[in-house]
Amino acid sequence: MAEVHLPLQDSLQAASPAVPGSLEPRLVAFVCRWCTYAGADLAGTSRMTYPPNVRTLMLPCTGRIDVAFILRAFLEGADGVLVSGCHPGDCHYTAGNYRARRRWILLRDLLDTIGVDLRRLQLAWISAAEGAKWVKTIQNFTDEMRQLGRYEPMQRLAADFTPELALADGQPNGYAALPAAAPVAVHADSPLGQALAQALQAGAVKAILGWKKQATLGRPQAACIVDPQALVELVIPPRAGNLARLFKHPEIRQIQPIGVITRRAEALAMNVLIQEKQLDPGRVVAFAVDGAGHFLGLADPPGALKKIEAAEASVPPPDPGASTTGLWAALDRLMAQPREERWAFWMKQAQKCIRCYACRGACPLCNCHECLMDKNVPQWFPTAADGPGNFAWQLIRAFHLAGRCIGCGSCQEACPAGIPLGLLDAAMMRSVWKHFGYRSGMDPAAAPLQSDFRTDDRAEFIL
Amino acid sequence: MTVLTVTTSRPDTAAAAARTSTMLSRAGLDRWLSALLAAERRILAPVEVAPGRTEYRQLATVAPAATGLGRGLPVMSPKQAWFPRTEPLLRITREGRAISIADPNLKFRPTIIFGARPCDAAAPEILAPLFGWDSHDVFFEQRRKNLAFVVLACRQPVDAACFCTSVGVDPTGENCGDVLLTEWEDGRFWAEAHTPVGEELLAVIPADEAAAAPDPAVLAARRKQWRANALRRFDSQRVAGALREHFDDPMWKDWAAACVSCGTCAFVCPTCHCFDLQEQMHGSEGLRQKNWDACTFGLFTRHTSGHNPRPDRASRWRQRVNHKFRYYPEKFRRLLCTGCGRCIRQCPAGLDLLANLVALDALAPAALSVTAPALDRAAAAGVAAGAPANSPNIYRPYLMKIAALREEAPDVRTLRLEFADPDEGGKFDFRVGQFGLYGALGEGESTFCIASSPTQRGYIECTFRAAGRVTRALRRLDVGDTLGFRGPYGNSFPVEAWKGKNLLFVAGGIGLPPLRSVLAYCLDHRADYGQITVVYGAKTSADLVYKEELATWEKRTDMDLRLCIDWKPNANGRGLSQDAAEDGWRPINRHDPAATQLDSAQRRHTAFVPQLVAAVKPVAVNSVAIVCGPPVMIGFTIQSLRQSGFPDRDVFTTLENRMKCGLGKCGRCNIGSVYVCKEGPVFTAEEIQRLPHDS
């Protein structure tokens, strides 16, 4: 089997400081093969000189430069990371650099939210003819990093971590617990109860996805109901997870057609699944209900969302300052703090994470066949619930959900450690709205945000 | 119960160490905590961090503890005090090709868990026999030794998820912890020391705290009432009986239907102790770590090949419930549960352990059989697990140098390993069939048998296929490089009992290495055994391992070696060809293998291993068969051997479950209550029949 990971892994490890405490910055450059690498080559063959601080890693295209590479470089001790490729319009693979640019826009906002110094991540277009630009870019980046010094906070991630009961100060995490309202029972003679029974008995659906009450504490438990007699057990919780997560299970996907008791959260999540070709809208019957559990009628998932939007006050888009309560207000307060404070806040949150992956399990859209965190050839990130491992997991989770997360709050509700996961997702939702005017889950016909691009996407931050 | 090895108590309080009980006001409680903090003990206590949310926190000041006392159960157990979510086990330093290792810090700060409920305080005691099973986990044991509990009695259950009385935990904590606090009607706390450590803790209470003790009769009556407040929901004996009877029932699928395959239940649990061993390097420095793991994760038991003994949520949930209420009690005579109810409160999917247990109680057979372990055998009889003598750290490997390496087949390599320290090598001994963990230091460890014979002194050999992270890293190593070895672990083949018997070895593919050790041993003691027959097959002739030895064995007249390679498919892609798969390999009679006439001139055949076993027509009388290979081959071979008259008790095999610790602690390799790493890897076919169908 090919040892594909070796050069990258070794180079990244080479980025870690040979001399602890050395002031010389260590830089890692991820460059595309066709333009920037050729440009760097030109600089070399032209006998141009530039600082030796940079380790250059060649990849086929900026589109191949996964965000995980960048995070990994920082975790391995890089003080600055440069990503560079072909100018817009010049991509050897037509549009890899446009797609990369979308990711950079989102990544910068994510890193900014958690308080990473954005000067540490430099993005540039450098063509094969621009040997001089390569030299100038490296020169300037090295000079700037020399001024900033080693990236101490990042390098202290491991050292600052205390694996035992972490927090010493006993402060609450500043994020109100989600309200625990009582579930609403689905009566057999209610319009919803009648519609469910009729659909199941007539064979219009083979099963119903809904909620039951757990015996011991009455907590909601997702259920797949096949027997009409069991419909009496159904309840509708105001919050508590998202039924669309059940589509991660092959045995549920095999049941077609299937009925889903659909609140706004389920409708939005199913729309994303349809958009990503993970769900066939023709095989799902959505029993739309509003927040109070009133039946709004049968539809496909997009139709259900329309019914719910018509019946409930529609949710305003995630503009900054659009709401003064809840998540958005918490995000506003966070973003009003200096970068160092944001970093301190998130490091405190990352200390709490026990890596139980309840957030991943509860999320309807965290549906990778094999999670990046579970892959070990190569071992991308530490599996330990320690500083670097938790930092990587929280960022990867938020990034992989950017433009996909529908804000149902299942992750945060599931988190036994009380981490305000929703804040990171909210930051990404706002970023997605601000830069692309996009809200996930609204339009199942739209192209998924991260696999799409526009030639006029923001670019002013790229050299 | 625990011994606090602390010498920081002030001399003036040490004089008053005779105090065994006292009544404390809230203010007195605060003053006591201040005094304890001043004695430089780390104190963890429940703190209400947000409305309705209590967590254990390390106290820096006093006030939060007093306010948190009695305000609900902390969301997570204080397990990290004895089993942190990630713990360094070994420091690894790599300079070029040179590798050195060192033990991490083994000194732990004295810690008091203040205001723990009886269900939390009961947990370390439950885990002690596991972490001390034959080999001692010094990390757990040292932490526990430095741990003291100040327990707060429960007067009523926190909520309906509490079920401590059902698992034998007393909510009033009458004999629990080092100090027991009982909140009295007037808001004061009655503090009683149960241990010398508790007396030492009470001794630091400022002298002005003195109030009337509660009337013992009233206290006893109150405790009776408080116990009665916590209803007994099920009988754990009946649950264990039902678990035995209903292993294959469809209810497991229903109960686990909502499971999201996260690890929340295990991570909030005070007694869940399964862990993963992982290694990570940062530049030239690295760590081996013990990290929390959970049987509910799909990855937990998955082999590198992709095979997973517990492939679905139902089998994983069944494992969790069985482990707690049947396997662990069978093994250690303790339930692996304190009834705290956290898994029920925190499960993001709303799984309901208590409801499952109540249902199991109802399912229990009327007449309960006596708890009988699936296998009754002394674990690792006679031989303690090997470990370098200069360290108490059981996770510390021997350092080995690669003395030679040999390519066996595509991706398959044999390493000959010599001890970096010849003294250790001189003392090292093992028995045939035992295994070890081979570490590419910085990448992790992999489990293989020791493929050489104990009669070959001074070195060991292992043969492996490069498949996953560790085996690929091992493959990158060269002669002279250093790797880590832990072992020998597990039981062995009863070669002494086989003396005078005929031996039939059957192996497929990479299954020959475990048998090579036995075979080499038996050939070195050739006179002790009767006929020796070896049937070995692989997909193609290139996939046969130990080609040099096969050539030698083929020529020996005191043994009968039969090799086979797979049939090739028919030209139309359907069915198997009757032609030889390769030149020089003669097909056997596929439809009636026993009708094939074998002769000693032709030892290479086109056949599947079980067919060749039938063609060999082994004599079952006074014989044993030793079988190793892929599961499907083992299954058909056992059938073939039965037809030849071999009783299952005379068929031996070695199981290759996923392992991490090799010491019976990480909770991964078990089949039912049988830990393959300690009670295996060698089993008879008869024993395997008796194990639950969980692999």
Side-chain angles (χ1 to χ4, degrees):
Chain A
M1 216 172 287
E3 301 280 346
V4 286
H5 68 290
L6 257 185
L8 183 62
Q9 190 154 341
D10 285 356
S11 303
L12 288 174
Q13 290 199 343
S16 55
V19 188
S22 154
L23 294 175
E24 237 353 77
R26 299 239 158 191
L27 310 178
V28 173
F30 295 101
V31 301
C32 101
R33 165 185 183 176
W34 303 98
C35 292
T36 306
Y37 195 83
D41 220 18
L42 177 64
T45 51
S46 312
R47 311 276 166 158
M48 292 187 249
T49 59
Y50 55 89
N53 301 49
V54 65
R55 303 281 185 287
T56 305
L57 288 151
M58 181 180 79
L59 288 119
C61 176
T62 43
R64 174 66 188 91
I65 299 168
D66 198 300
V67 160
F69 297 6
I70 299 169
L71 293 181
R72 181 73 191 272
F74 278 123
L75 289 177
E76 293 286 354
D79 300 305
V81 176
L82 171 74
V83 185
S84 177
C86 308
H87 284 272
D90 289 356
C91 179
H92 189 79
Y93 308 99
T94 313
N97 53 356
Y98 286 125
R99 295 175 207 277
R101 180 168 67 186
R102 274 223 159 159
R103 298 207 292 266
W104 299 345
I105 294 168
L106 296 169
L107 176 65
R108 277 169 49 89
D109 278 7
L110 178 60
L111 293 179
D112 191 42
T113 306
I114 61 155
V116 170
D117 187 346
L118 287 185
R119 291 173 295 181
R120 302 281 184 179
L121 174 62
Q122 184 75 258
L123 305 151
W125 306 133
I126 298 174
S127 80
E130 292 175 322
K133 184 176 178 186
W134 168 257
V135 168
K136 192 162 162 255
T137 304
I138 298 295
Q139 183 68 59
N140 291 348
F141 194 33
T142 310
D143 287 348
E144 195 180 358
M145 291 305 109
R146 276 201 185 111
Q147 291 209 327
L148 289 179
R150 304 300 316 274
Y151 198 1
E152 293 289 343
M154 189 71 80
Q155 282 145 25
R156 280 204 314 268
L157 263 180
D160 285 353
F161 175 75
T162 44
E164 293 160 42
L165 300 151
L167 294 180
D169 61 8
Q171 290 300 310
N173 62 28
Y175 190 77
L178 294 161
V184 183
V186 180
H187 293 293
D189 50 0
S190 69
L192 176 59
Q194 286 173 352
L196 290 169
Q198 197 182 4
L200 209 50
Q201 273 153 4
V205 295
K206 290 196 180 128
I208 304 276
L209 300 182
W211 302 98
K212 288 193 299 198
K213 270 205 298 192
Q214 173 213 58
T216 298
L217 292 173
R219 299 182 59 217
Q221 191 181 42
C224 175
I225 290 181
V226 182
D227 176 7
Q229 302 297 320
L231 288 172
V232 292
E233 295 176 45
L234 284 177
V235 294
I236 299 176
R239 293 203 66 113
N242 192 318
L243 287 173
R245 76 164 167 76
L246 293 171
F247 287 113
K248 285 194 263 190
H249 304 311
E251 72 271 19
I252 298 288
R253 279 203 302 274
Q254 277 163 14
I255 305 172
Q256 294 176 341
I258 192 163
V260 183
I261 297 184
T262 305
R263 303 166 300 172
R264 185 194 296 270
E266 277 86 17
L268 289 165
M270 285 194 285
N271 277 351
V272 175
L273 292 176
I274 293 166
Q275 198 181 357
E276 296 175 348
K277 308 275 187 282
Q278 299 300 309
L279 190 65
D280 180 348
R283 306 289 184 91
V284 176
V285 179
F287 293 78
V289 294
D290 67 9
H294 298 124
F295 183 46
L296 303 173
L298 297 175
D300 60 356
L305 181 62
K306 291 202 182 74
K307 285 182 195 292
I308 294 163
E309 295 268 295
E312 291 180 354
S314 65
V315 176
D319 281 321
S323 166
T324 53
T325 56
L327 200 58
W328 304 109
L331 183 60
D332 286 338
R333 281 200 303 277
L334 178 72
M335 296 313 289
Q337 291 175 11
R339 190 184 70 233
E340 292 78 9
E341 294 292 314
R342 297 202 296 273
W343 175 265
F345 172 80
W346 284 113
M347 290 311 104
K348 200 188 276 182
Q349 302 307 326
Q351 294 251 327
K352 296 182 190 173
C353 175
I354 53 173
R355 295 290 276 285
C356 66
Y357 295 115
C359 46
R360 179 175 80 184
C363 177
L365 300 169
C366 230
N367 57 0
C368 287
H369 182 65
E370 185 160 21
C371 178
L372 184 69
M373 305 310 282
D374 285 346
K375 289 186 179 167
N376 75 346
V377 187
Q379 184 81 50
W380 276 109
F381 296 109
T383 58
D386 63 4
N390 290 352
F391 173 84
W393 164 236
Q394 298 301 342
L395 287 188
I396 290 291
R397 194 194 68 82
F399 189 82
H400 284 185
L401 286 164
R404 304 175 63 235
C405 170
I406 47 99
C408 65
S410 301
C411 51
Q412 180 160 325
E413 199 173 29
C415 179
I419 300 171
L421 295 162
L423 265 186
L424 270 188
D425 295 322
M428 293 323 297
M429 286 169 90
R430 183 179 283 176
S431 172
V432 161
W433 175 253
K434 190 168 99 190
H435 301 304
F436 310 108
Y438 180 87
R439 290 173 77 185
S440 45
M442 303 303 284
D443 179 7
L449 184 89
Q450 285 204 43
S451 53
D452 194 22
F453 66 90
R454 284 171 57 102
T455 52
D456 60 351
D457 281 341
R458 275 184 67 198
E460 83 291 343
F461 59 91
I462 305 170
L463 288 178
Chain B
M1 177 182 137
T2 55
V3 183
L4 195 73
T5 57
V6 63
T7 53
T8 48
S9 55
R10 289 167 299 176
D12 56 327
T13 58
R19 173 146 48 183
T20 57
S21 58
T22 189
M23 199 67 155
L24 285 167
S25 64
R26 278 259 171 190
L29 210 60
D30 282 353
R31 280 198 292 277
W32 182 31
L33 273 167
S34 298
L36 290 172
L37 276 171
E40 292 185 4
R41 289 170 168 100
R42 192 173 63 133
I43 299 181
L44 307 174
V47 173
E48 196 168 16
V49 293
R53 185 180 174 90
T54 304
E55 291 177 7
Y56 281 107
R57 291 286 165 88
Q58 185 173 332
L59 292 192
T61 54
V62 174
T67 55
L69 275 186
R71 297 274 181 85
L73 199 65
V75 177
M76 279 187 245
S77 82
K79 174 162 74 173
Q80 299 209 59
W82 57 86
F83 178 39
R85 66 206 205 218
T86 172
E87 169 144 55
L89 301 177
L90 192 71
R91 301 198 173 279
I92 301 165
T93 308
R94 219 163 41 184
E95 293 292 346
R97 314 207 80 150
I99 288 182
S100 58
I101 55 172
D103 286 331
N105 172 37
L106 289 173
K107 289 199 168 62
F108 301 103
R109 204 173 150 194
T111 297
I112 300 167
I113 303 184
F114 194 97
R117 299 309 181 112
C119 52
D120 283 343
E125 178 74 23
I126 291 174
L127 294 174
L130 179 276
F131 281 112
W133 185 17
D134 291 347
S135 56
H136 292 266
D137 183 314
V138 67
F139 301 92
F140 170 82
E141 292 188 348
Q142 282 300 318
R143 282 180 184 279
R144 181 169 175 238
K145 207 171 157 193
N146 282 287
L147 201 59
F149 279 99
V150 176
V151 174
L152 178 67
C154 285
R155 301 198 298 189
Q156 55 199 6
V158 171
D159 57 28
C162 283
F163 60 96
C164 58
T165 48
S166 310
V167 291
V169 172
D170 177 2
T172 70
E174 199 171 349
N175 292 305
C176 181
D178 297 283
V179 176
L180 174 67
L181 292 178
T182 306
E183 194 175 2
W184 207 239
E185 278 86 349
D186 58 1
R188 288 169 187 260
F189 291 87
W190 174 237
E192 297 164 278
H194 288 146
T195 63
V197 175
E199 288 173 20
E200 203 186 319
L201 295 179
L202 283 191
V204 305
I205 291 176
D208 59 332
E209 278 296 331
D215 179 342
V218 179
L219 183 59
R222 292 283 187 279
R223 282 188 172 142
K224 200 174 165 200
Q225 178 56 47
W226 297 338
R227 267 177 218 126
N229 288 346
L231 288 180
R232 215 157 151 267
R233 304 292 308 277
F234 59 87
D235 179 312
S236 58
Q237 290 284 330
R238 290 174 56 81
V239 166
L243 286 169
R244 261 192 298 281
E245 301 285 321
H246 297 275
F247 190 83
D248 290 316
D249 281 22
M251 71 211 180
W252 292 108
K253 219 171 166 182
D254 292 344
W255 290 350
C259 178
V260 300
S261 295
C262 73
T264 304
C265 49
F267 290 4
V268 298
C269 174
T271 58
C272 269
H273 60 264
C274 292
F275 60 83
D276 187 14
L277 294 182
Q278 283 286 334
E279 288 170 31
Q280 47 170 313
M281 296 297 291
H282 190 74
S284 59
E285 301 288 322
L287 286 178
R288 172 173 293 174
Q289 296 168 309
K290 177 162 91 178
N291 298 333
W292 284 358
D293 209 341
C295 57
T296 39
F297 287 137
L299 274 188
F300 186 65
T301 50
R302 199 177 78 184
H303 298 195
T304 304
S305 67
H307 170 70
N308 195 342
R310 294 198 277 273
D312 52 25
R313 289 164 289 143
S315 58
R316 298 195 282 262
W317 181 246
R318 180 177 64 190
Q319 159 68 16
R320 182 163 197 272
V321 180
N322 270 278
H323 191 191
K324 289 187 167 298
F325 295 93
R326 178 180 157 209
Y327 306 154
Y328 200 85
E330 281 179 3
K331 196 112 260 161
F332 300 112
R333 309 284 157 204
R334 292 158 163 85
L335 291 163
L336 190 62
C337 176
T338 66
C340 71
R342 284 190 178 88
C343 54
I344 302 161
R345 290 183 202 100
Q346 297 304 324
C347 176
L351 262 57
D352 193 341
L353 178 69
L354 180 54
N356 294 172
L357 294 169
V358 171
L360 284 162
D361 181 287
L363 282 171
L368 284 175
S369 59
V370 181
T371 305
L375 284 189
D376 203 9
R377 76 156 63 134
V383 173
N390 57 356
S391 165
N393 180 1
I394 55 172
Y395 305 106
R396 182 191 174 111
Y398 295 109
L399 288 183
M400 311 289 277
K401 291 263 183 235
I402 300 179
L405 57 82
R406 194 170 69 196
E407 299 296 335
E408 302 287 1
D411 284 334
V412 179
R413 181 177 276 188
T414 296
L415 301 180
R416 175 170 294 192
L417 306 172
E418 288 174 357
F419 287 80
D421 177 352
D423 282 354
E424 286 175 341
K427 288 179 210 141
F428 183 84
D429 200 7
F430 71 99
R431 293 168 303 161
V432 289
Q434 289 195 289
F435 68 93
L437 285 112
Y438 301 76
L441 292 164
E443 294 285 350
E445 293 182 307
S446 237
T447 314
F448 326 119
C449 65
I450 303 174
S452 53
S453 159
T455 51
Q456 298 157 320
R457 304 294 299 184
Y459 66 89
I460 56 170
E461 288 184 338
C462 68
T463 301
F464 62 94
R465 171 173 283 148
R469 178 185 174 195
V470 175
T471 46
R472 289 186 204 192
L474 287 171
R475 198 184 161 77
R476 290 196 290 271
L477 299 178
D478 208 341
V479 172
D481 282 344
T482 303
L483 55 76
F485 170 79
R486 290 194 293 121
Y489 296 146
N491 69 351
S492 55
F493 289 102
V495 281
E496 293 300 314
W498 293 346
K499 278 186 178 168
K501 294 193 176 189
N502 303 316
L503 307 179
L504 169 67
F505 293 88
V506 184
I510 192 80
L512 186 58
L515 302 196
R516 179 198 186 215
S517 174
V518 200
L519 183 57
Y521 179 91
C522 295
L523 290 176
D524 284 343
H525 299 87
R526 185 65 192 87
D528 289 345
Y529 301 96
Q531 280 180 23
I532 294 183
T533 309
V534 180
V535 174
Y536 174 47
K539 276 188 188 132
T540 68
S541 60
D543 291 307
L544 294 166
V545 301
Y546 303 136
K547 295 186 182 66
E548 289 170 28
E549 278 143 304
L550 293 178
T552 318
W553 294 338
E554 242 179 328
K555 292 193 193 94
R556 281 181 80 138
T557 51
D558 58 352
M559 65 181 284
D560 185 16
L561 175 71
R562 295 283 161 186
L563 299 174
C564 64
I565 56 174
D566 284 0
W567 301 95
K568 64 179 179 185
N570 275 330
N572 63 9
R574 265 175 284 160
L576 300 169
S577 165
Q578 273 296 22
D579 303 336
E582 296 176 31
D583 285 345
W585 296 76
R586 187 199 294 170
I588 62 158
N589 184 335
R590 182 151 60 90
H591 302 290
D592 186 6
T596 309
Q597 291 300 315
L598 301 181
D599 58 56
S600 56
Q602 175 67 33
R603 300 187 170 277
R604 304 185 164 218
H605 309 276
T606 300
F608 291 127
V609 170
Q611 297 172 329
L612 189 55
V613 169
V616 164
K617 295 187 275 293
V619 179
V621 178
N622 194 34
S623 298
V624 294
I626 306 106
V627 184
C628 189
V632 62
M633 185 215 91
I634 293 182
F636 281 104
T637 301
I638 289 174
Q639 282 181 24
S640 176
L641 288 170
R642 278 188 197 135
Q643 284 165 12
S644 302
F646 279 80
D648 282 356
R649 66 171 183 278
D650 288 340
V651 178
F652 293 79
T653 189
T654 165
L655 295 183
E656 306 282 318
N657 281 32
R658 183 150 181 80
M659 294 176 194
K660 285 287 184 176
C661 72
L663 295 158
K665 313 214 184 298
C666 78
R668 189 174 269 86
C669 67
N670 68 302
I671 305 173
S673 58
V674 173
Y675 283 62
V676 174
C677 66
K678 288 192 63 74
E679 291 147 280
V682 176
F683 295 90
T684 63
E686 186 187 33
E687 288 169 334
I688 291 174
Q689 291 293 321
R690 290 214 306 272
L691 298 177
H693 313 131
D694 203 14
S695 61

